């Protein structure tokens, strides 16, 4: 007899806890060290993961606050998840090199050594400056309106559609704008899921943001012959405030 037991769907996978460097953030979001140093206020990295942005931006004179629910977990667990993310990235780069931008033409192990350095910087900095690492998750953040001059959100809102359906995605993007200063920007990357498929709900969410008086722009940072895989960033601002 066939087994007709109804099984509950598997829970969605938790986001990877990645370990990116300041230079990789600059590449991904179209930033420069000089631009970060010149920010008129603090920067928010959400989710921060096990990145080195907080540690590496401090010598530039920029205060970065990283927000991520993983910061509620013990340091050993965060390290274990960061190592698992490194292994997952190594496997993905070997299996699907077509998904990764041309800036990674160096050998994968050389690229991933940058993750190792960032992970170690993160661990040391979080131990020394725990107040700059806040355990929090979108779509609700424990920050006052207009706290940050610039807000970055990488590899989350569009990368995990199973976690961020249309309503939760809209709420998350609006929350990132809420905590950003009126003259500041929110930058989101990437605009596709983990398999490289561009989000099908991007136009709808941009229309909904417009109804909330949030302007949106898709900024192409690295136009190439790769078509839809050119590097794009979604830039959000409050209507009436343009830089």
């Amino acid at each position: 007899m066939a087994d007709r037991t109804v099984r509950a769907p598997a829970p969605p996978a938790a986001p990877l806890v990645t370990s990116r460097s300041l230079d990789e953030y600059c590449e991904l979001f179209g930033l420069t060290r000089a631009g970060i140093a010149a920010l008129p206020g603090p920067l928010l990295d959400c989710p921060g993961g096990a990145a080195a942005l907080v540690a590496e931006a401090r010598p530039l004179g920029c205060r970065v606050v990283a927000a991520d629910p993983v910061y509620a977990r013990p340091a050993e667990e965060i390290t274990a998840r960061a190592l698992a993310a490194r292994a997952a990235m190594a496997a993905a780069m070997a299996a699907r090199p077509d998904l990764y931008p041309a800036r990674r033409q160096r050998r994968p192990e050389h690229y991933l050594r940058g993750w190792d350095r960032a992970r170690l910087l993160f661990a040391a900095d979080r131990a020394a400056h725990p107040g700059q690492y806040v355990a929090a998750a979108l779509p609700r953040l424990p920050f006052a309106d207009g706290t940050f001059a610039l807000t970055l959100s990488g590899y989350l809102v569009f990368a995990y559609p199973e976690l961020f359906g249309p309503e939760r995605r809209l709420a998350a993007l609006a929350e990132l704008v809420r905590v950003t200063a009126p003259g500041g920007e929110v930058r989101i990357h990437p605009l596709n899921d983990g398999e490289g498929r561009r989000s099908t709900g991007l136009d709808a969410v941009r229309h909904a943001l417009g109804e909330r008086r949030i302007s949106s722009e898709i900024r192409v940072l690295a136009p190439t012959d790769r078509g839809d895989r050119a590097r794009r960033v979604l830039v959000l601002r409050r209507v009436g405030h343009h830089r």
Side-chain angles (χ1 to χ4, degrees):
M1 178 180 294
D3 181 4
R4 297 186 179 181
T5 303
V6 177
R7 295 179 174 83
L16 295 177
V17 179
T18 57
S19 307
R20 303 181 193 276
S21 67
L22 170 61
D23 287 338
E24 188 166 3
Y25 271 82
C26 287
E27 282 188 288
L28 293 174
F29 292 100
L31 300 169
T32 64
R33 287 174 175 255
I36 289 173
L39 285 173
L43 185 157
L44 174 64
D45 181 19
C46 179
L53 181 59
V54 178
E56 292 189 283
R58 188 179 298 111
L60 303 178
C62 178
R63 182 173 185 269
V64 177
V65 175
D68 197 306
V70 79
Y71 299 151
R73 309 304 303 164
E76 297 79 5
E77 181 179 332
I78 298 174
T79 297
R81 289 184 58 180
L83 287 169
R86 184 198 192 280
M89 175 60 82
M93 293 178 79
R96 294 290 306 277
D98 57 300
L99 290 181
Y100 297 92
R103 68 183 184 280
R104 296 180 187 166
Q105 288 177 342
R106 54 192 183 274
R107 294 167 64 90
E109 54 267 33
H110 179 264
Y111 168 73
L112 291 169
R113 278 200 295 271
W115 278 35
D116 294 334
R117 177 180 177 275
R119 185 181 67 252
L120 295 174
L121 283 172
F122 158 80
D125 194 72
R126 182 168 177 262
H129 304 277
Q132 289 181 249
Y133 297 85
V134 179
L138 288 169
R140 300 187 69 176
L141 299 175
F143 307 116
D145 294 0
T147 299
F148 301 99
L150 175 65
T151 295
L152 307 178
S153 185
Y155 292 90
L156 181 65
V157 178
F158 292 97
Y160 291 90
E162 66 276 19
L163 294 176
F164 287 87
E167 291 185 5
R168 192 162 186 252
R169 177 182 296 167
L170 175 61
L173 296 175
E175 180 72 348
L176 292 171
V177 174
R178 180 189 70 78
V179 302
T180 305
E185 290 182 351
V186 178
R187 300 188 187 189
I188 299 100
H189 175 83
L191 307 184
N192 51 263
D193 65 14
E195 297 299 320
R197 297 180 294 253
R198 187 177 309 182
S199 171
T200 57
L202 184 56
D203 290 341
V205 78
R206 292 182 68 192
H207 177 77
L209 287 167
E211 292 182 332
R212 297 187 179 207
R213 296 187 58 77
I214 297 171
S215 69
S216 63
E217 168 196 354
I218 296 178
R219 191 172 296 167
V220 180
L221 301 180
T224 69
D225 59 359
R226 296 163 65 88
D228 285 349
R229 291 179 191 149
R231 188 153 36 95
R232 291 173 169 84
V233 171
L234 180 64
V235 180
L236 305 179
R237 306 181 191 89
R238 300 188 194 186
V239 169
H241 294 275
H242 295 278
R243 302 178 89 177

